[in-house]
Amino acid sequence: MNARFGRTLLAAILLVAGTSGCGTDEQPYQAKPAFSGRKATLPAVPTLPAKNKKQGDAYTVWGVTHDLRSRVHFEDVNGKKISIVGYIVKTNLAEAPACAVHKTGKGDPPDCKAPVPSFAIADEKGETKDMIDVMGWASNFAQIYSMIEAIDKAPRGKEGEAKLTDEFWGQELPNPIPAVGAKVKVTGTYGVTFTKSTGGAAANPKYGIMSAEQIEFLEPPPEKATLPGMKRKP
């Protein structure tokens, strides 16, 4: 192939390459009609329950347990002095063993195994799952026994003035004695553990434990609290 023929062939190739992108083979855009078939069935948007984190200056049970399990707010509530409001939904007073039900000043027998008195609060009456244990308001059942006696011995109409200071923890016992159905505002130290008991620490990393220093009754209990074997004054 001579040089002249090569130059001619190269010119022809460049001419074809330069004009190949300018053709009119593209089809014009045509709008497509909207889909007219059967519409997809989607589930309804769920309605989330409206829950309050606080009632006034006090946490709700939902609010404080939410913060306890939060990486952001854990330090805001764990080990802090706060107030929590709720309904008393459970107590362990009926579980007091007979060996622990007596007046103060008398020790339990060495083999007497009694839990620390406690009750649990929740946002709703009848709740059995989402609740917080409240401890620290009575060191043993003997303190409660003597407090019940003091209330029942008070003159008619003066029962609310009866007082008794816990001989071990040095704080006044609540009056009335906590019972299921009452609505209370509990102020104290809240956290995942309770270490005030001499019988060992208790822990609840999911719901926490409230160590009560003050209990305010917003709604009184429908019935008086008692201990096994005790009869309350009508």
Side-chain angles (χ1 to χ4, degrees), residues 54-59:
K54 283 190 171 184
Q55 288 186 17
D57 63 341
Y59 281 93

Side-chain angles (χ1 to χ4, degrees), residues 93-134:
L93 301 189
E95 302 168 17
C99 60
V101 180
H102 53 75
K103 294 182 180 181
T104 55
K106 174 184 175 182
D108 295 348
D111 59 345
C112 184
K113 304 298 182 182
V116 174
S118 68
F119 62 87
I121 56 174
D123 287 330
E124 302 291 340
K125 292 181 179 180
E127 177 64 58
T128 60
K129 181 181 177 183
D130 298 324
M131 51 189 177
I132 296 172
D133 286 331
V134 179

Side-chain angles (χ1 to χ4, degrees), residues 11-113:
I13 292 173
L14 293 175
L15 178 62
V16 172
T19 59
S20 60
C22 299
T24 59
D25 294 337
E26 294 184 3
Q27 297 296 323
Y29 170 77
Q30 294 182 355
K32 295 183 179 181
F35 178 73
S36 59
R38 184 178 179 182
K39 294 183 178 180
T41 302
L42 300 176
V45 178
T47 302
L48 299 177
K51 294 185 177 181
N52 295 321
K53 191 172 181 178
K54 283 190 171 184
Q55 288 186 17
D57 63 341
Y59 281 93
T60 62
V61 171
W62 178 86
V64 75
T65 54
H66 171 275
D67 282 5
L68 186 70
R69 296 190 289 266
S70 167
R71 293 184 179 181
V72 177
H73 299 292
F74 175 79
E75 297 296 340
D76 295 338
V77 295
N78 184 53
K80 300 298 191 296
K81 185 173 181 179
I82 61 173
S83 296
I84 308 173
V85 64
Y87 290 96
I88 298 178
V89 293
K90 183 180 71 172
T91 81
N92 69 348
L93 301 189
E95 302 168 17
C99 60
V101 180
H102 53 75
K103 294 182 180 181
T104 55
K106 174 184 175 182
D108 295 348
D111 59 345
C112 184
K113 304 298 182 182

Side-chain angles (χ1 to χ4, degrees), residues 1-11:
M1 180 170 58
N2 57 39
R4 181 179 181 183
F5 177 78
R7 290 193 295 270
T8 303
L9 178 60
L10 178 59

Side-chain angles (χ1 to χ4, degrees), residues 130-215:
D130 298 324
M131 51 189 177
I132 296 172
D133 286 331
V134 179
M135 306 170 75
W137 51 277
S139 60
N140 54 48
F141 293 108
Q143 312 300 313
I144 298 174
Y145 184 101
S146 293
M147 184 61 183
I148 289 176
E149 282 195 331
I151 294 172
D152 287 351
K153 289 179 180 179
R156 183 71 64 180
K158 301 289 185 178
E159 294 89 348
E161 299 178 10
K163 295 182 180 180
L164 180 71
T165 299
D166 191 292
E167 61 184 1
F168 292 104
W169 290 347
Q171 64 187 45
E172 290 187 359
L173 273 76
N175 183 1
I177 299 297
V180 172
K183 186 175 184 180
V184 294
K185 177 181 178 181
V186 185
T187 301
T189 302
Y190 174 73
V192 297
T193 59
F194 174 78
T195 59
K196 202 172 180 179
S197 172
T198 56
N204 190 328
K206 185 175 182 180
Y207 292 103
I209 298 174
M210 185 62 157
S211 181
E213 297 176 13
Q214 181 181 355
I215 299 174

